[in-house]
Amino acid sequence: MKKIIHNIIILTSIFVTGIGLILMSAGIVYADDCFNINNESIDKNTNTRPFICFEHDIHNETAGIENCSECHHIYDEHEELVPDESSEGQPCSECHADSKNSNNTDIGLAAKYHKLCRDCHLSREKGPVVCGECHRK
Amino acid sequence: MHDYYSFFTGPFAWITFLVFIFGSGWRFYSIWQLAKKKDSAVFEYMNMKFALRSIAHWIIPFGSRSMQINPAMTVVTFMFHISLFITPLFVFGHVVLWKENFNISWFTLSNTVADLMTLIVIGSCLFFLWRRIKLADVRYLTTPMDFIILFIVAAPFVTGFWVYHQFPGFAVMTIIHIISGEIMLMAIPFTKLFHMFLFPFTRGYIGSEFGGVRMAKDW
Amino acid sequence: MTEAKSVTETKKTEDQGILKGLEQLTPEKIESVIQQVLSDETGARLKVYVETCVHCGMCSKGCHFFLSLNDPRYSPAGKVKQTLWEIMRKKGKVSPEFIKQAATIAYTQCNMCKRCAMYCPFGLDVAYVMSVMRRICHKLGVVPLYIQDTAHSHSVTMNQMWVKDDEWIDTLMWQEEEAQDAMENLRIPLDKEGADIFYSVIGPEPKFRAQLIFQAAVIMNAAGENWTMPSMPGWDNSDMCMFTGDYEMMERLKRRHFESALNLRAKRIVMGECGHAFRSVYDVGNRALGWRMPPIEVVHAIEYYNELFENNKIKIKKKFEQPVTLHDPCNISRGRGLHEMARNIVNATCENFIEMTPNREHNYCCSAGGGVINCGPPFKNARVESGKQKAKQLFAAKAKGAEVVIAPCHNCHGGLEDIIHHYGVEMELKFFGDIIYEILELPE
């Protein structure tokens, strides 16, 4: 009996240590460098991959985008798009800041960002859509 | 590429959810009906206290003698099942998709943790594969379907690992990752993967029999 | 991890009951009987057991057949694979040859001890699956000869051993007389109404081990019990029909037994040291008759003896001196949790107690239970071989000094006797009754 209890204790501690080690490694942060989007709200974030350099002018030229409001949109208080007005110079987070989640990540802002790019790329059937195409290692 | 992405994250994803939810519901319902018709005694002997007592002993690592005499299997199987559930639910890349599509979000794992847990799942699948091939008693029980299930379970994790580390062809692999996850979900109601839902009932019943009638431990 | 050998050749069955039964089978008959059993008599339980098994092999180490023979065929799930798994997959379209093998497995390679249910993470009850296989075989008429003979005896005489009504009474009177040498005025009261204890035994007691009745009578008298035994059929609590799959007959037997006690308005049934009989009265038979628990309190000898010591109803001269070890029979430890009471009795009666390991619910089976020993000589060698693990366990207890094995179950006695003899363990076997009788201080 004593031996069994002893074994249980040893084996359980091995198990708990294993899980503990994994959880401890949660602190390791990936370095983020190439960021040319003004994004204070996610810079403490430990989860996202750095964004590849978004080459603004080349992108718009290739995509044939002339109207800034296609991306830098403005909605009125009825949540309707205001035509002919755009929001460049204004950080996305001014409107799209969401509650922070447990990792201090503004996941709502990230979600909005993803949708903006991906929805457009999917409708035009051009441009990156899967995670790794923008969030390069 | 864009077509596939749209299809497998759109209509096919909905089909997957429906198959998973209704398939599991149907499976439960049919077992329930059959039990009511043919095994009414089962309900008579089910006992919440003893069922929970048994389940508790079997979901705590090394809580049963069976686990104590199979330490390797116990460690691997617990790490495997925990990682199998935690990783897909809490990896950041998935939570952000929930946020995008349903505007709900929750706790996320750091990438390193998710990466390690993915490796645990893959490693565990290799261990299970090794057992199936190497141990004579397990090999004797193994059917081709058992290998297929192992493959179905490992696939989303192998492809996920591939995608996260951006090995060559990761863009296509992302689509395969999505499909493999959907296949796994859809397979649950129709394969032995359904054991995840039946566990509390089979364990609970034998626990009730042992506790209530046999007055003995079952761990 | 135990490295099992690969699958070995199956031995040819030479059992005449199985072989004769097979001669009458056609694939059509097999299919229709299987369909009937599966659709009418089983349901979600069987389906869930067979479908939930993930083929992980954790049950292997739960089975003494596998541990002794190291052949994957003998792991609990391996036995399901060779029986119901295949039958359900083929929807009953199996050959007579398959049935022959399945019958051999279900009747002689599983003691229905349910130890594997404690090793399966899902608690799947392989003994139940084997009992379904036996039920199918019973309905197909493919049952090993010797156990079928006991089932026939049950149906003709309501006891297991073809004991005639007058022989039963005669035996009781004979044992009464013998016991009077030890204790003057000793009685074995027959058919006494309103007794506190209705004492029932198994068929083999009057047939081969009449001294056990004598001992029980002495203990009852020494304790000053108000007890009785029935003079008419219903006295036998054993039940081989439960093990052949003849549930109709099992119900008749259990009903007769309960009614014997209830007709005499007895307060409770006390049974001799038998495991399977206890299982049939306490667990299986009552359910078949629709009783959630037995309609009258059923007390196994261990519980009863424990009571005697706890209430100081009997006194002992001195403790039993030889070092003893205790074999926990499946049907009363795993089947009724009496193992702690058994230890209380050991401590009250013996000087020196050595545990065998594993013990209590985890004890290894004697290889004889579940009707396996009752399948008789054609399967004896195989049965003793499957007791190798038990022999190792006994040797280990012996190495620690144990000289006597207490086995409070008839089947266990039979099985352990063969194992002790075959492997040269050289230990003495005793019932609790033997020990208590030996050290009992008889009242003046």
Side-chain angles (χ1 to χ4, degrees), chain A residues 110-128:
Chain A
K112 282 283 191 296
Y113 214 113
H114 290 161
K115 276 177 85 74
L116 181 73
C117 301
R118 197 183 45 218
D119 286 357
C120 187
H121 293 170
L122 282 174
S123 68
R124 296 179 182 223
E125 299 198 355
K126 276 200 181 74

Side-chain angles (χ1 to χ4, degrees), chain A residues 93-110:
Chain A
S93 59
E94 211 164 276
C95 297
H96 295 303
D98 202 19
S99 55
K100 304 261 195 288
N101 83 351
S102 54
N103 286 1
N104 207 25
T105 307
D106 192 333
I107 199 164
L109 191 58

Side-chain angles (χ1 to χ4, degrees), chain C residues 56-121:
Chain C
C56 69
M58 292 277 278
C59 57
S60 302
K61 285 183 192 165
C63 184
H64 55 286
F65 277 89
F66 178 82
L67 291 170
S68 297
L69 303 168
N70 228 350
D71 179 338
R73 260 180 201 287
Y74 294 95
S75 84
K79 292 176 222 178
V80 177
K81 173 186 158 125
Q82 295 170 82
T83 54
L84 258 297
W85 177 353
E86 198 68 3
I87 282 178
M88 288 167 83
R89 199 170 64 84
K90 291 187 173 163
K91 300 198 162 55
K93 290 190 178 59
V94 291
S95 65
E97 195 54 34
F98 178 89
I99 293 295
K100 180 169 138 189
Q101 180 61 14
T104 310
I105 291 164
Y107 284 115
T108 72
Q109 294 170 9
C110 171
N111 295 102
M112 323 276 270
C113 75
K114 301 215 188 206
R115 191 173 187 264
C116 52
M118 303 174 60
Y119 286 76
C120 169

Side-chain angles (χ1 to χ4, degrees), chain C residues 34 47-48 63 76 81 83 89 102 104 107 124 146 168 191 199 217 272-274 282 301 336 352 387 391 394 427:
Chain C
I34 289 175
K47 211 168 136 69
V48 167
C63 184
K81 173 186 158 125
T83 54
R89 199 170 64 84
T104 310
Y107 284 115
L124 307 182
Y146 282 76
W168 164 244
D191 301 332
Y199 188 66
E273 292 176 59
C274 181
Y282 175 77
R336 173 59 182 80
N352 198 344
L394 291 176
M427 288 172 95

